[in-house]
Amino acid sequence: MAGEADAVRAAVRALEGIADPIERARETSVLLREWPALHRVVREVRQQAVLGAHGEGRTYDEIGAEIGTSGYRASQISRGK
């Protein structure tokens, strides 16, 4: 299921394509109002993924290398930090 992050980026970029400036501002404002909750959900999805990988036997160093960070950071992510 690769590409989900690309789809989210494309959806955000689509805001730029809204021709009417008022509609563009309104839609962008909706997203910005919802962003704190969305950000929390995205962080939780990442945390659960790291915990799942660790539960499958991967070390935090392995997880960190695979997701582009350090093992220490992967461990922090697993604790919700």
Side-chain angles (χ1 to χ4, degrees):
M1 285 215 258
E4 283 80 1
D6 289 337
V8 171
R9 281 191 287 276
V12 171
R13 288 289 183 205
L15 293 170
E16 295 174 327
I18 298 173
D20 181 83
I22 296 301
E23 183 182 348
R24 187 170 59 243
R26 182 176 30 248
E27 291 299 315
T28 303
S29 293
V30 168
L31 180 60
L32 288 170
R33 277 193 302 273
E34 294 176 2
W35 179 247
L38 294 171
H39 186 259
R40 192 169 23 262
V41 170
V42 170
R43 288 175 57 99
E44 289 170 0
V45 168
R46 180 179 64 172
Q47 179 185 13
Q48 291 306 312
V50 168
L51 286 169
H54 192 256
E56 291 176 350
R58 291 185 181 100
T59 68
Y60 287 121
D61 285 336
E62 291 170 333
I63 296 166
E66 290 181 38
I67 67 172
T69 192
S70 68
Y72 178 75
R73 181 67 187 125
S75 176
Q76 286 182 313
I77 292 168
S78 76
R79 297 189 311 272
K81 297 181 179 198

